Amino acid sequence: AMQVFIFGLFGFESAASLFPIVENASKNIPKALAYAISIVGLLYILFVGSIILAIPSEIFTRPDLPITEALAQVLRFGTWILPFINIAIVSAISGVLHSMIWSSGSLTFSLLKNMKSSWIQSLVKQNIINSRTSVLIVGIPIILCHLPSPNFGLVFPFVAAAIIIAYILTMGALLQSKYNKSAITYIGFLTAIIILFSAFAGIYEQTMGLF
């Protein structure tokens, strides 16, 4: 369950791409992130709490039971809202994936621009490799990995593992900088490692389920 919650909070890191276009970004973006994470975290807690209080636990007979099916069993009136809940869930997950793919594409483009390969540098100069094609470089393998046998349970842990590895590398760089004595850096580093183990555990469980 933790990997789904963590996945829901992913996307906030994409706010780093706003620095070039936001006025007084070094002050405004961290403040906006703190407000946004606090509000979204509170909404998550209220949502999960309301689900726990509203739906008897015996209704959840299987782990992949959609929340709307569970609600359909307890709602006497207002079942008309269930399709809208499904739409909201799909849009939320799609929004996170969209922001992650664009953020990963931006990082990929930055990586390719700094590579020493003359062949890659020529593609960058010819504008064949740019911010848009980098999104395709990230997105196409994701699509291909799900074409043979779609397993949506792998989406959460795979995305978590990829992003958390980037976080750990970032924290590692901070430990070598003037921020190496910051308690926040150490807490962030340890938290990222715990999340990474959780992601690998999810990948293992989902992969074992295929055999």
Side-chain angles (χ1 to χ4, degrees):
M2 181 59 70
Q3 63 187 9
V4 178
F5 179 80
I6 293 169
F7 181 87
L9 291 176
F10 279 154
F12 284 108
E13 124 293 337
S14 300
S17 61
L18 297 174
F19 271 85
I21 59 175
V22 173
E23 184 178 351
N24 196 7
S26 61
K27 179 180 179 181
N28 291 329
I29 290 182
K31 188 183 298 184
L33 276 174
Y35 292 151
I37 292 176
S38 299
I39 293 171
V40 172
L42 178 61
L43 290 175
Y44 264 65
I45 293 171
L46 291 175
F47 173 75
V48 173
S50 63
I51 292 298
I52 292 173
L53 294 174
I55 304 176
S57 58
E58 57 266 20
I59 289 180
F60 294 97
T61 55
R62 63 182 199 273
D64 60 342
L65 180 71
I67 191 66
T68 46
E69 286 189 22
L71 284 172
Q73 298 182 44
V74 297
L75 287 178
R76 295 184 178 180
F77 307 100
T79 53
W80 56 270
I81 202 172
L82 297 180
F84 294 98
I85 294 176
N86 282 326
I87 293 172
I89 293 172
V90 171
S91 64
I93 294 176
S94 300
V96 173
L97 289 173
H98 175 267
S99 66
M100 298 314 315
I101 289 174
W102 276 96
S103 178
S104 299
S106 177
L107 290 171
T108 301
F109 183 46
S110 176
L111 174 65
L112 293 174
K113 283 195 302 182
N114 290 287
M115 291 186 70
K116 302 295 185 180
S117 171
S118 57
W119 177 65
I120 292 179
Q121 290 302 317
S122 65
L123 293 177
V124 172
K125 291 179 181 179
Q126 296 173 32
N127 204 33
I128 295 175
I129 294 179
N130 51 42
S131 57
R132 293 185 178 182
T133 55
S134 295
V135 172
L136 295 177
I137 293 173
V138 172
I140 289 176
I142 295 175
I143 295 173
L144 293 178
C145 286
H146 285 81
L147 284 181
S149 178
N151 185 347
F152 295 104
L154 280 172
V155 172
F156 297 109
F158 264 128
V159 173
I163 299 301
I164 290 302
I165 288 173
Y167 284 169
I168 289 175
L169 293 175
T170 302
M171 295 297 175
L174 287 174
L175 290 174
Q176 305 299 321
S177 69
K178 62 180 181 180
Y179 301 102
N180 61 348
K181 295 182 180 180
S182 171
I184 295 177
T185 302
Y186 287 102
I187 293 172
F189 188 76
L190 292 174
T191 304
I193 292 177
I194 293 172
I195 296 173
L196 182 63
F197 278 118
S198 174
F200 282 138
I203 293 172
Y204 176 78
E205 290 178 4
Q206 290 293 329
T207 305
M208 289 298 100
L210 298 177
F211 301 101

